Amino acid sequence: MTEKDVVERLEEIVGKKNVQADKIGLTSYGYDATLLSGVGMATVFPLSTEHVVKLVKLANEAGFTLIPRGAGTNLSGGTIPDGRCVTVNFSRMKKILDIDTENFVAVVEPGLVNFDLQAELEKKGFYYPPDPASYKATTLGGNLAECSGGPRCFKYGVTRDYILGLEVVLPDGKVIQTGGRNFNSEPGYDLTRILVGSEGTLALLTKIFLRILPLPAAKKTMLAIYNQVEDASQTVSDIVAAGIVPTTLEMMDNLLINTAEDATGAGLPRDAGALLIIEIDGHPEDMDEQVETIAGICKKARVREFKMARTAAEVDQLWLARRVVIGSVARRRPSYSLQDITVPRSMFPNMVSGILQIAKERNLEVGILAHAGDGNMHPLVLFDQRIEEEVERVHLAEKDICALALELGGTLSGEHGIGLLKKKYLTLEFSPVAMACFAKIKNSFDPRHLLNPGKIMNL
Amino acid sequence: MSNETVNRIKGLVGEGNVVDSPSAMARYLKGQGRPLAVAMPGNTAEVAEIVKLANEEGLKIAVGGRVVESRGLDGGLALVMSRMNQVLEIDHANLTATVQPGLAHTEFSRILAEQNLVFPPEPNVPKTGSVGGCFALGEADSQAFQYMPVRTYLLGYEMVLPNGDILEVGNKCIKNVSGYDLIHFAVGSRGTLGIFTRLLVKLLPPPAVKMALVADFASLPKACQAMATLIRRRIFPTRLNLLNPALAAGIDPGSKGNLVMVDLTGFKNSTELLAEEIAGIFHLAGSSEVQAVKEAEGYAKLWQGWLDLRGELNTTWAERVIDFNVGPMKLAAALQALTEITGDLGAYPGLVAEGLLGRVRLLLPAAGEREEMAVKVNALAMSFGGNVSGNFGSKLVCRAYNDAEMWEGIESLLGQIRRQFDPKGILAPGVSL
């Protein structure tokens, strides 16, 4: 079938206005939040499960591959098209099908934006815990495909912990439901779990059953500033050991404190080694006791400034530096590469000093942003995309950072996924036996490699 | 031939670690299957060697912590993991433990308690359950609303695959999305994908206080209403379990009616306030007696009673149990509707409801009518947005929707995965997915 014929058939399935095959359309959906891009044959916007089934059948018949896509905010190259493929853009399947607060379930279509669900839930006093930084733009289908995290994960867990069930279209066009509205609804194997984080390589999502929770009755936000990263890190360990599970333990290092200060002029001390934002939630009557314990722990760890927000405005003030930090690095250098390694909590100080060492060796500026409670770190490697030689050094530094994380007993990806970007490092983390198991999973679902080929691993 | 096989197995794990006389094997087996031998491997290499031998000889293998399901195991080999029962590491800084799969679940909890740590999942069977078995079955227990399902406590493992290869995945990071999620996918796979030989699990620090409330309700609907009131007021205890009179008597011999058991764990201030509030709600809802259990011994005894009951439902009574889910706030209506099938639930052999999960376990008068009852119960559960648990439930749902295609899709996918991992069909012959 020629490309022109394929486009015509796509238009028959979803209607002309839901297909884009011109140059602008192809370019617009050919890139994501990485520096990668590619071009396929067309982008198609299904509106229903039935559309998706027909697309899959056509792909089988006409011999092209399918690249599922939400908002394209992923940091792994997971939605980059390549060759004879069609991008399936789910952004028009964005209905909320049900919100059942009494039974803690929401049922949504995969193209729904995380923020739009949160806004609806908030009206009812509920929320959906996973909150990736891009939540204002990202789709829930995309969150599921990457198993996104976010700052609240330390207490509440990641996307996989909030998916109760799915309706998916398999690569042979069959529709199945996995899980349901409750725990304990899986048939045989926990198919839902293998689909979460599968980066669009196993099946196409058409419906998601999410677990939702009531908004916590009380919340306290604290800011602690330290001379050294080690002190912040000690604070984190001691808080956990004291039996307190904060929702958030966000850390920024000296470089990022400075770029944030450049951007906001909020009065952060420029010589500070690290800043920690600590947030707890729960029953109102438990807050004071926990704040007191945390303040004591910070003091013991030689904190130089400790603040607790007393009003909503003060909460915003404490979060300000963290909110602007990624954008603020643009004042230093025009580009950044955001890494996503995770190490065991006890290895946190070693990882921080290791990253600074790598930065020095590769002659690069690196700022460190971390979800410190769970050891998930986002080193921001700063560079200028136009300087080829520097880009080379950035790639070398990325590899060094991945290798160090693995050496310290960590992982290549805490919440962004593998996609195209980290595929080349996967064998550093996994043995040939594990890689063979990945292939078994892929081949069980998608023996013809129709879905998102070349992502996660080559087969 | 079979003697020769047994001798080879003895050569692999040592003569003293293989049992092959039917009378000696009996204590390691349940069910009617007649395996060739029971072997107790001592380490991963031995397990891998045994699996390779099984591949050569087409021998079926089933695995258990202390007791092995023998269904489908005629002429095969039962592996008892009780010698691989060590705690290899407890990491306080990262709140993890590395253990061997044959470690008894209750023994693990005891060791952790000494170190001021907790492994929250409830044992499936307190007397015989192992940590490996806990993840092989991997369900959501009655604390799952607060502590999440069992799978969330598995961070990594070492596993001998059906071809004898050794798979290692996972690390001490709670955030880990590298590659496909083999870690959580293995949970609940009931020994069909491989044999766990080492487990890396997540631990928690203990809650500051623990206490329980036990309320007696003459009326089942009123007990359900009381539980619904808690949820409506956004009171979410650690456990909120309901037992009908037949089962309540086993936990609290003095009880007269239905028992609602509330577990509260958390910080001191809120826990004490909540206990008072809940007691008040239960009195208003018609409970004849609400007891607070605050001292450690009484608390431990109460919940041990619950765990023992759960163990009975999972073993002795397993063939008589139907397990279904509806939403937590649909429990009252679902149980009301259920009486049309069962008659008065107060007089029924057994009923357990896990209030925060909306899960019901029904103990039937006899095993014979299970399938027929499950079809009726599933239809009822479906009208409340749920279904009978597990694969059988999914099948019934597909049948009810007349969706043969979906069932075919699920069944062929499950079969495909199992064949990809175990092409010769060696492991867990008694488990049909």
Side-chain angles (χ1 to χ4, degrees), chain B residues 263-282:
Chain B
D263 188 11
L264 289 166
T265 65
F267 292 97
K268 190 166 177 289
N269 293 344
S270 60
T271 304
E272 282 174 357
L273 280 171
L274 285 175
E276 276 173 38
E277 198 176 343
I278 295 169
I281 289 169
F282 284 179

Side-chain angles (χ1 to χ4, degrees), chain B residues 17-158:
Chain B
N17 296 314
V18 178
V19 174
D20 58 353
S21 82
S23 58
M25 284 198 288
R27 62 181 279 227
Y28 299 107
L29 301 173
K30 62 179 172 191
Q32 306 303 314
R34 302 175 66 149
L36 211 51
V38 175
M40 281 153 273
N43 56 48
T44 306
E46 288 179 6
V47 176
E49 287 303 318
I50 289 174
V51 173
K52 282 181 191 152
L53 173 82
N55 269 283
E56 280 170 33
E57 309 226 343
L59 202 63
K60 310 259 186 224
I61 297 181
V63 183
R66 281 185 239 180
V67 179
V68 178
E69 171 60 61
S70 67
R71 193 187 309 139
L73 202 58
D74 287 344
L77 179 65
L79 281 194
V80 172
M81 304 301 277
S82 56
R83 285 176 67 218
M84 293 178 70
N85 63 351
Q86 298 300 302
V87 177
L88 302 173
E89 184 201 53
I90 293 178
D91 180 344
H92 285 264
N94 293 305
L95 291 176
T96 63
T98 308
V99 305
Q100 291 185 313
L103 174 65
H105 191 129
T106 46
E107 173 68 3
F108 186 37
S109 301
R110 192 191 61 72
I111 293 169
L112 291 174
E114 282 173 3
Q115 306 220 20
N116 208 28
L117 289 167
V118 183
F119 174 64
E122 295 178 346
N124 292 301
V125 186
K127 286 197 191 84
T128 56
S130 63
V131 181
C134 174
F135 289 110
L137 295 173
E139 50 168 37
D141 62 39
S142 72
Q143 313 170 84
F145 189 90
Q146 178 172 344
Y147 287 115
M148 306 295 281
V150 169
R151 66 162 187 275
T152 56
Y153 291 90
L154 188 63
L155 295 174
Y157 57 76
E158 176 190 80

Side-chain angles (χ1 to χ4, degrees), chain B residues 20 43 79 119 139 178 182 197 218 228 254 320 362 391 394 416:
Chain B
D20 58 353
N43 56 48
L79 281 194
F119 174 64
E139 50 168 37
S178 196
L182 294 175
T197 47
R320 284 169 56 198
L362 196 60
N391 205 23
S394 293
Q416 190 56 249

Side-chain angles (χ1 to χ4, degrees), chain B residues 76-403:
Chain B
L77 179 65
L79 281 194
V80 172
M81 304 301 277
S82 56
R83 285 176 67 218
M84 293 178 70
N85 63 351
Q86 298 300 302
V87 177
L88 302 173
E89 184 201 53
I90 293 178
D91 180 344
H92 285 264
N94 293 305
L95 291 176
T96 63
T98 308
V99 305
Q100 291 185 313
L103 174 65
H105 191 129
T106 46
E107 173 68 3
F108 186 37
S109 301
R110 192 191 61 72
I111 293 169
L112 291 174
E114 282 173 3
Q115 306 220 20
N116 208 28
L117 289 167
V118 183
F119 174 64
E122 295 178 346
N124 292 301
V125 186
K127 286 197 191 84
T128 56
S130 63
V131 181
C134 174
F135 289 110
L137 295 173
E139 50 168 37
D141 62 39
S142 72
Q143 313 170 84
F145 189 90
Q146 178 172 344
Y147 287 115
M148 306 295 281
V150 169
R151 66 162 187 275
T152 56
Y153 291 90
L154 188 63
L155 295 174
Y157 57 76
E158 176 190 80
M159 176 187 262
V160 174
L161 297 175
N163 62 4
D165 282 348
I166 298 169
L167 170 68
E168 278 181 88
V169 285
N171 49 52
K172 293 178 181 174
C173 306
I174 57 170
K175 266 189 189 170
N176 176 9
V177 299
S178 196
Y180 292 120
D181 187 2
L182 294 175
I183 302 165
H184 300 97
F185 184 61
V187 178
S189 61
R190 290 179 287 164
T192 59
L193 299 178
I195 301 169
F196 286 129
T197 47
R198 193 175 67 226
L199 300 154
L200 172 64
V201 305
K202 183 173 106 171
L203 307 174
L204 295 180
V209 289
K210 299 193 272 193
M211 64 173 80
L213 291 173
V214 183
D216 206 324
F217 283 89
S219 144
L220 184 68
K222 281 188 176 164
C224 288
Q225 288 305 336
M227 298 203 296
T229 305
L230 296 193
I231 295 172
R232 208 172 284 126
R233 291 210 186 173
R234 298 199 172 184
I235 298 172
F236 309 115
T238 303
R239 293 178 174 111
L240 180 60
N241 298 342
L242 166 72
L243 310 178
N244 80 336
L247 298 180
I251 300 258
D252 177 4
S255 74
K256 294 180 244 5
N258 305 277
L259 215 57
V260 177
M261 305 170 69
V262 182
D263 188 11
L264 289 166
T265 65
F267 292 97
K268 190 166 177 289
N269 293 344
S270 60
T271 304
E272 282 174 357
L273 280 171
L274 285 175
E276 276 173 38
E277 198 176 343
I278 295 169
I281 289 169
F282 284 179
H283 276 301
L284 276 176
S287 170
S288 55
E289 196 189 349
V290 185
Q291 293 172 53
V293 183
K294 293 188 179 177
E295 87 303 351
E297 201 185 320
Y299 176 89
K301 187 164 170 271
L302 179 73
W303 292 109
Q304 190 58 48
W306 160 256
L307 294 178
D308 290 340
L309 167 62
R310 185 176 135 88
E312 288 293 294
L313 291 169
N314 287 337
T315 52
T316 321
W317 295 332
E319 299 299 317
R320 284 169 56 198
V321 173
I322 291 180
D323 186 327
F324 69 95
N325 294 280
V326 293
M329 286 296 273
K330 294 175 182 169
L331 264 181
L335 291 182
Q336 184 58 41
L338 188 61
T339 57
E340 282 169 31
I341 304 174
T342 59
D344 177 16
L345 282 167
Y348 211 67
L351 170 86
V352 175
E354 295 171 8
L356 289 169
L357 304 186
R359 177 190 193 197
V360 179
R361 304 183 85 183
L362 196 60
L363 179 63
L364 307 179
E369 53 183 308
R370 185 160 168 235
E371 192 143 331
E372 188 192 330
M373 276 293 278
V375 174
K376 289 188 203 161
V377 170
N378 190 65
L380 177 141
M382 278 181 69
S383 68
F384 292 97
N387 59 266
V388 166
S389 304
N391 205 23
F392 187 57
S394 293
K395 189 176 185 173
L396 292 175
V397 171
C398 293
R399 201 194 287 167
Y401 282 130
N402 209 5
D403 196 340

